[in-house]
Amino acid sequence: MQIERIEMSDERMMSVLDFDYELPEELIAQDPLEHRSDSRLMVLDKESGEVEHSHFYDIKNYLEPGDCLVINNTKVLPARLIGEKEGTGGKVEVLLLRRKTDDVWETLVKPGKNARIGQKLSFGGGLLTAEVVDIVDEGDRLVQFHYDGIFEEILDQLGQMPLPPYITHQLKDKNRYQTVYAKEEGSAAAPTAGLHFTKELLQEIRDMGVNIAEVTLHVGLGTFRPVKVENVFEHHMHSEYYKVTQEAADMINATKAAGHRVIAVGTTSTRTLESAAAEDGTLTEKSGWTDIFIYPGYKFKVIDALITNFHLPKSTLIMLVSALAGREHVLAAYKIAVEEKYRFFSFGDAMFIH
């Protein structure tokens, strides 16, 4: 397995506390808005730190003909299965993390302590059954599934969307935790910056002469795992699968060569491009696994601007955003967002950093 790594030469201490901020709990968005593009948009100038307030449906006002938007077309699996242990009938929750072979998945099982090798599980009254076949890194379980028919169809019938732990409401419509351009199945979480786009808005953006390139990064649950070390340099990212097609590479290279901007939609698109690019910023068709960790001091090779959401305190995502716009600018903008009662995290409002 090829892992793309970014090694930073600076071995000084960088404290995770430098990326903390106060967030009232009521600002964590629990439900998506009725209309995707009605979310608010904070526009941050990465050089000056100046902030403007707008709405996402006006994102066109900040784009220019010749720009290239890069979107992550991954599709979230309804990967959360609620079932019971055969023999005891005890409730069990299985979260699919990564497919190892056709019917064997690496999973997170709750409660884990009783999910021993050989434990049999049942879902949907036996429509889907499973057996724990191994215990791997960090206590994740390898689970072999048994069923009649097509696994994806059964999963669509029985599975729930694996919403982040800070969202406590049940999602009424599964598709609202899916971008309108999602097509490559494999994510355990949505690339949430893309949730604000509608098909109509994307067409308007194309019509004004902005190119749209698609890449794929299957978001893992490492996205939600907190940074547990005090020194940022000691944190290790979980690896995620990415893919850049030749078509996308050509479009992005042409944009750069013409002096126009490459605008990543989300931190996942950013990590994909920065993982796949050569040192001079050029791209070719490429796929593999990346554990790239971007934090202040990183020199971006490809992206010029970023559309993103508001991220958790002390998270790797706020570190990535700080690498692009500067920690002081980002934390000052977040302070304004709290004062102005922006909605935070996955179903929250958006930010355009340019």
Side-chain angles (χ1 to χ4, degrees):
M1 180 170 84
Q2 182 189 2
I3 301 282
E4 303 288 340
R5 292 185 183 276
I6 296 298
E7 299 294 346
M8 302 295 289
S9 59
D10 192 341
E11 288 304 319
R12 291 172 303 158
M13 171 75 181
M14 186 185 290
S15 174
V16 68
L17 297 175
D18 289 342
F19 301 91
D20 199 7
Y21 67 93
E22 291 291 325
L23 179 69
E25 196 172 322
E26 65 267 20
L27 295 185
I28 300 173
Q30 292 294 329
D31 302 288
L33 296 177
E34 185 179 352
H35 300 292
R36 289 176 184 262
S37 60
D38 281 355
S39 48
R40 292 165 77 187
L41 177 69
M42 177 181 279
V43 181
L44 173 64
D45 186 313
K46 65 186 179 185
E47 303 300 334
S48 69
E50 286 183 19
V51 161
E52 288 180 52
H53 303 286
S54 187
H55 285 88
F56 199 83
Y57 47 70
D58 287 328
I59 188 71
K60 304 185 297 296
N61 297 343
Y62 302 95
L63 305 177
E64 299 163 7
D67 284 343
C68 182
L69 273 189
V70 183
I71 59 177
N72 180 7
N73 64 13
T74 189
K75 189 172 185 179
V76 186
L77 289 166
R80 186 168 172 252
L81 290 162
I82 309 294
E84 55 189 38
K85 296 176 184 172
E86 290 189 1
T88 66
K91 185 181 173 185
V92 66
E93 179 181 322
V94 173
L95 193 59
L96 307 182
L97 299 179
R98 185 179 299 168
R99 187 178 232 141
K100 305 300 275 189
T101 63
D102 279 355
D103 294 324
V104 176
W105 286 75
E106 184 176 339
T107 69
L108 187 64
V109 179
K110 295 182 188 175
K113 61 180 184 294
N114 297 324
R116 300 183 179 92
I117 294 173
Q119 174 68 58
K120 290 184 168 59
L121 312 170
S122 178
F123 308 92
L127 186 63
L128 181 67
T129 60
E131 181 179 350
V132 179
V133 294
D134 201 1
I135 300 173
V136 292
D137 295 346
E138 298 192 14
D140 291 348
R141 266 58 174 176
L142 290 188
V143 169
Q144 178 150 25
F145 288 98
H146 304 281
Y147 53 89
D148 291 322
I150 299 170
F151 181 75
E152 284 74 15
E153 289 181 0
I154 295 169
L155 190 62
D156 200 47
Q157 184 178 339
L158 300 180
Q160 300 174 14
M161 282 298 183
L163 295 177
Y166 48 76
I167 292 178
T168 57
H169 293 190
Q170 190 70 37
L171 190 60
K172 294 187 183 76
D173 176 5
K174 275 185 190 179
N175 287 326
R176 290 309 306 274
Y177 193 58
Q178 207 82 267
T179 63
V180 297
Y181 45 77
K183 60 185 177 188
E184 299 283 342
E185 283 197 330
S187 264
T192 54
L195 295 178
H196 307 281
F197 286 99
T198 63
K199 288 182 177 177
E200 294 78 15
L201 181 56
L202 285 167
Q203 190 55 53
E204 289 173 26
I205 288 168
R206 282 191 186 93
D207 290 346
M208 62 180 282
V210 174
N211 291 310
I212 299 178
E214 296 186 20
V215 298
T216 305
L217 183 133
H218 292 322
V219 190
L221 280 185
T223 281
F224 303 128
R225 287 191 168 128
V227 178
K228 293 180 178 176
V229 293
E230 186 184 349
N231 187 357
V232 169
F233 295 124
E234 295 172 5
H235 178 70
H236 179 69
M237 298 282 282
H238 287 252
S239 60
E240 296 166 314
Y241 177 80
Y242 75 90
K243 180 174 67 178
V244 177
T245 64
Q246 191 61 51
E247 180 185 5
D250 290 344
M251 187 182 289
I252 294 162
N253 291 340
T255 300
K256 299 291 279 187
H260 296 296
R261 298 180 300 173
V262 174
I263 302 167
V265 177
T267 57
T268 61
S269 298
T270 301
R271 294 178 66 241
T272 301
L273 295 177
E274 297 297 318
S275 295
E279 281 307 309
D280 65 357
T282 57
L283 291 159
T284 55
E285 184 173 355
K286 194 172 184 183
S287 64
W289 295 81
T290 179
D291 63 354
I292 188 174
F293 182 15
I294 296 174
Y295 47 78
Y298 178 82
K299 298 287 184 260
F300 288 88
K301 296 178 286 189
V302 184
I303 78 155
D304 302 294
L306 172 66
I307 294 170
T308 189
N309 281 17
F310 292 91
H311 303 296
L312 277 76
K314 301 187 286 188
S315 65
T316 60
L317 303 180
I318 197 171
M319 292 172 195
L320 183 153
V321 171
S322 297
L324 182 65
R327 185 180 70 91
E328 292 82 3
H329 287 167
V330 168
L331 291 180
Y334 272 50
K335 187 171 185 291
I336 293 168
V338 169
E339 290 166 357
E340 297 292 328
K341 294 190 165 34
Y342 274 69
R343 301 163 74 250
F344 278 66
F345 306 163
S346 294
F347 289 137
D349 294 317
M351 179 184 260
F352 178 46
I353 301 172
H354 69 114

